Amino acid sequence: MSQKSLLSLAVGAALAGSFFHASTARAQEAQLQPTIEVTASRVAQTVDASLADVSIITRADIEKTGAPDLIEVLRLQAGVDVARLGGAGFQTGVFLRGTNSNHVLVLIDGVRVASANTGAFAFENLPLDAVERIEIVRGPRASYWGSDAVGGVIQIFTRKLDGAHLAASVGSYGSADGSVGYGMQGDTWGFSAQAGGRHVDGFSASNVLAGPYVYNPDDNPMQNHNQVAQAWYKLGTQTLSASAFRSIGTQSFDNGPIFDNGGGPGISHTLDQAIGVNLEGALTPDWQHRLSVGTTRTNIDTPAFGSAYRSTREQLSWTNDFTIAANQHLIAGFDYVNDRGRSLDTFGGTTQYDKTRDNSGVFAGWRAQADALDGEISGRYDHNSDFGGEFSGSIAGGYRLSDSLRLTASYGTAFSAPTLSQLYSPGYGGYYAGNPLLDPERSRTGEIGLEWKIDDANRFDARAFSTRVRDLIDFSGGATFQAININHASIDGLELTHNWRAGAYSWTNTLTLQDPRNEDTDTQLLRRPKQKFNSVFDAQLSDAFSAGAELVYAGRADDFGGKLGAYAIVNLHASYAVNPQWRFGARLENLGDRNYQLAYGYNTPGRSGYLTVSWSPAK
């Protein structure tokens, strides 16, 4: 019997034991508290008060799943589609509400982290054990955040430890990872630091459908080393804080025989780094502010292709929240971003392009509430050194029909600036080159929503949206396929979410129905299924035991070279706290060993298991 099968059986046995033991334990009444988010309008507000569609994933939610990486957590969310080119550590696209992967603004502790070259963030390089919470805001947020927030914003907050922390995990496909950290949190100061690593032997990323330029049957291992740190100090009414994230990885990828005269895997080396410093607090009783500076760095080296990319970004922002009255707030501020991107030909030792650009933006928003009615209006003007000026705006309103029922409606515009690669890449032998005359991709979105708190145990949310995107960038210009603004896309969708909780039991169901289409060709946008359903059931059956199950379903989708079939997989998870210091977790993925694809010609994990142990000192 293979190592994968043995480990899967062991995890299955651990889960079965957890369920059996939990069935005899007493139920504990869950305590629900208002959840604060800061991403939708750049200032703190409760999720219930926000007029945007917001989801919060807490550290407790992450630990409950026992998931090996961030992708398994994100794919459970309404409106989120993922496309991974193989197993752990492989390039992963995250689509929010059917928009492109570079139409999602990604922040780590408030710092923009997408590459200036590609416009995308490498979610696969972010260690899950370093994450404290995730905020997902669906819909256009360019009126507050500027470029890239077409489909929405995903902000990731790194962990802030209070005491020591140790964690280790082993799993199928030779997966092994661990982390160690320590932090102290006092009344006037605190710090936290954590380091971790992961190694996965992996499996062959591709199959024969990928074609001879890609397919190779060898396994594709990966390894990653990462560090996160935070520190803060209180200075009267102000708090000075800093955060740092760094991830260094090596990923083997399939490199077909046609490319390298005999086959064998290629290797990519990556670096992702983000550092931020903030000063925030009350300047007067009615004036809160946050002044932030940040820097990011992204490197990708692929010796087999003779290519290397370097990307840096320097950022400055100032956000202010003025309390005009008890039920009115004015939010205003500015941002400045400097991007630099380089593309290097390591075979010839030449620089293909080395470009910089600046973007400055000013924004303002007004929020008000009067009896059953609340509303928000916001606007922003950006000036970019490449394409000039761009205005984004949004308006939203909510009306509370009763204490348990609220209707919402919104309209917003957004844009995504061309990446430096789309602007300046020389292409491949002159083909698929960039175009410095590109305009930004622009969108407009309308949304209506219904929020219904049926009773203390049931909540139902429905959101219908319609997005139109124009000036999509496509490599179809002339005989050399240069980048041009040509395509138009339409995305109509409906998201339904039902949350049920009774004592120790909770059940969340999300249904996403969407029609993401290329209007020019009347075809479905690639790798985005029209239907998606997730169901997550959890039982906290004692102070020590929790257990649960996940159902993930996705409908058929189009892709380069072929069709992606519909699939449904079931995952199980359980957690057992031996004492206040030690906790064990188990996860069994793809219980039915379903063969499915997230990208045409690329493999996904079969039945696989993971065991986790963590230690923190008792408080």
Side-chain angles (χ1 to χ4, degrees):
M1 186 176 289
S2 68
Q3 180 186 12
K4 169 193 164 186
S5 299
L6 284 170
L7 186 53
S8 298
L9 287 174
V11 173
L15 288 165
S18 296
F19 276 111
F20 176 78
H21 185 98
S23 66
T24 65
R26 64 184 180 87
Q28 301 294 315
E29 187 67 29
Q31 299 297 318
L32 300 178
Q33 300 294 335
T35 302
I36 302 296
E37 61 89 15
V38 298
T39 302
S41 56
R42 302 185 65 152
V43 297
Q45 61 180 331
T46 64
V47 172
D48 287 343
S50 175
L51 290 167
D53 185 7
V54 181
S55 295
I56 306 294
I57 304 171
T58 66
R59 184 66 215 172
D61 296 330
I62 293 171
E63 292 181 347
K64 193 182 300 180
T65 68
D69 57 38
L70 181 62
I71 305 306
E72 296 302 320
V73 175
L74 291 177
R75 73 190 301 186
L76 295 174
Q77 301 301 309
V80 178
D81 299 307
V82 298
R84 180 158 52 187
L85 306 183
F90 273 83
Q91 180 181 346
T92 303
V94 174
F95 310 105
L96 189 54
R97 284 195 168 177
T99 60
N100 291 342
S101 56
N102 64 328
H103 292 165
V104 181
L105 174 62
V106 184
L107 308 166
I108 295 181
D109 295 325
V111 180
R112 289 173 173 259
V113 290
S115 166
N117 284 314
T118 66
F121 172 65
F123 285 94
E124 63 273 12
N125 292 336
L126 183 68
L128 190 56
D129 194 50
V131 176
E132 182 65 31
R133 66 189 260 123
I134 303 168
E135 296 180 3
I136 301 174
V137 184
R138 300 169 186 83
R141 307 308 295 173
S143 59
Y144 282 113
W145 291 101
S147 177
D148 304 340
V150 175
V153 183
I154 297 178
Q155 178 154 203
I156 299 156
F157 297 89
T158 57
R159 293 188 76 168
K160 186 181 289 186
L161 298 172
D162 189 6
H165 170 72
L166 297 171
S169 175
V170 294
S172 298
Y173 305 110
S175 174
D177 61 84
S179 63
V180 57
Y182 184 78
M184 293 181 64
Q185 306 299 326
D187 293 333
T188 58
W189 64 276
F191 75 92
S192 174
Q194 179 174 311
R198 187 182 188 196
H199 175 87
V200 182
D201 291 336
F203 49 83
S204 179
S206 64
N207 54 58
V208 294
L209 296 177
Y213 289 95
V214 175
Y215 173 60
N216 188 284
D218 292 346
D219 290 344
N220 298 116
M222 64 82 69
Q223 61 180 354
N224 176 274
H225 298 92
N226 53 82
Q227 302 87 37
V228 294
Q230 291 196 35
W232 64 274
Y233 186 78
K234 196 167 183 179
L235 301 166
T237 63
Q238 304 296 298
T239 299
L240 179 65
S241 63
S243 64
F245 159 73
R246 182 178 174 89
S247 172
I248 299 175
T250 299
Q251 176 65 61
S252 163
F253 61 89
D254 279 343
N255 191 17
I258 289 181
F259 265 164
D260 67 351
N261 298 320
I267 298 292
S268 283
H269 304 283
T270 61
L271 167 66
D272 296 276
Q273 179 176 287
I275 299 172
V277 178
N278 312 290
L279 181 67
E280 59 190 315
L283 296 175
T284 72
D286 298 323
W287 179 9
Q288 302 280 332
H289 86 118
R290 178 183 174 93
L291 179 64
S292 303
V293 294
T295 178
T296 61
R297 180 181 173 192
T298 303
N299 294 349
I300 305 175
D301 293 272
T302 310
F305 295 160
S307 66
Y309 293 91
R310 303 287 184 267
S311 169
T312 58
R313 173 173 289 140
E314 315 299 331
Q315 310 169 48
L316 170 66
S317 67
W318 191 29
T319 303
N320 300 271
D321 181 4
F322 301 95
T323 302
I324 303 174
N327 58 352
Q328 293 188 59
H329 284 259
L330 176 66
I331 302 160
F334 70 83
D335 296 306
Y336 173 78
V337 176
N338 174 265
D339 288 335
R340 181 185 180 186
R342 291 182 293 159
S343 174
L344 309 174
D345 177 0
T346 57
F347 284 158
T350 59
T351 299
Q352 295 182 311
Y353 68 80
D354 185 348
K355 297 291 184 177
T356 61
R357 69 177 176 191
D358 300 320
N359 191 97
S360 55
V362 293
F363 60 90
W366 175 69
R367 291 191 290 130
Q369 190 272 333
D371 297 325
L373 183 66
D374 51 338
E376 181 176 22
I377 185 170
S378 57
R380 177 182 172 112
Y381 178 78
D382 285 272
H383 184 271
N384 189 286
S385 58
D386 279 329
F387 58 80
E390 189 72 24
F391 176 80
S392 306
S394 67
I395 184 170
Y399 182 72
R400 194 167 295 280
L401 299 171
S402 67
D403 290 340
S404 61
L405 191 64
R406 184 173 78 150
L407 295 174
T408 63
S410 65
Y411 177 84
T413 62
F415 72 99
S416 181
T419 68
L420 293 180
S421 180
Q422 290 171 334
L423 289 168
Y424 303 116
S425 172
Y428 307 93
Y431 289 84
Y432 302 101
N435 181 354
L437 300 179
L438 288 174
D439 289 327
E441 300 169 310
R442 300 177 173 92
S443 74
R444 62 186 191 275
T445 299
E447 177 183 322
I448 57 175
L450 171 68
E451 302 167 0
W452 183 19
K453 186 178 179 182
I454 304 170
D455 52 40
D456 290 340
N458 288 275
R459 179 185 175 112
F460 175 80
D461 291 288
R463 305 272 180 169
F465 62 91
S466 181
T467 298
R468 297 295 182 267
V469 186
R470 60 187 175 92
D471 294 330
L472 280 170
I473 297 171
D474 189 28
F475 287 88
S476 58
T480 59
F481 308 105
Q482 187 182 27
I484 58 174
N485 292 105
I486 187 172
N487 285 345
H488 300 75
S490 64
I491 308 165
D492 299 315
L494 175 67
E495 296 164 353
L496 304 175
T497 302
H498 174 241
N499 293 286
W500 170 85
R501 183 183 294 272
Y505 305 95
S506 64
W507 190 16
T508 299
N509 298 286
T510 63
L511 174 65
T512 302
L513 303 174
Q514 60 184 9
D515 186 19
R517 303 197 67 78
N518 182 322
E519 288 190 319
D520 297 326
T521 60
D522 193 29
T523 57
Q524 187 175 347
L525 294 179
L526 303 182
R527 297 176 179 172
R528 277 151 274 194
K530 290 187 175 182
Q531 308 90 20
K532 178 187 172 186
F533 175 72
N534 295 315
S535 184
V536 180
F537 179 82
D538 283 298
Q540 184 67 49
L541 296 172
S542 76
D543 290 337
F545 276 95
S546 66
E550 306 163 1
L551 170 64
V552 179
Y553 168 81
R556 292 180 295 176
D558 292 346
D559 201 0
F560 299 102
K563 300 279 188 179
L564 303 176
Y567 68 89
I569 60 173
V570 174
N571 307 320
L572 304 177
H573 57 260
S575 176
Y576 174 56
V578 179
N579 54 41
Q581 295 83 32
W582 290 95
R583 186 183 69 86
F584 290 89
R587 180 177 175 87
L588 184 61
E589 288 189 351
N590 196 359
L591 178 64
D593 202 24
R594 178 68 187 271
N595 183 18
Y596 69 100
Q597 296 183 105
L598 297 174
Y600 188 75
Y602 290 90
N603 297 321
T604 54
R607 184 186 300 114
S608 47
Y610 301 90
L611 296 171
T612 303
V613 59
S614 63
W615 176 87
S616 297
K619 298 299 181 183

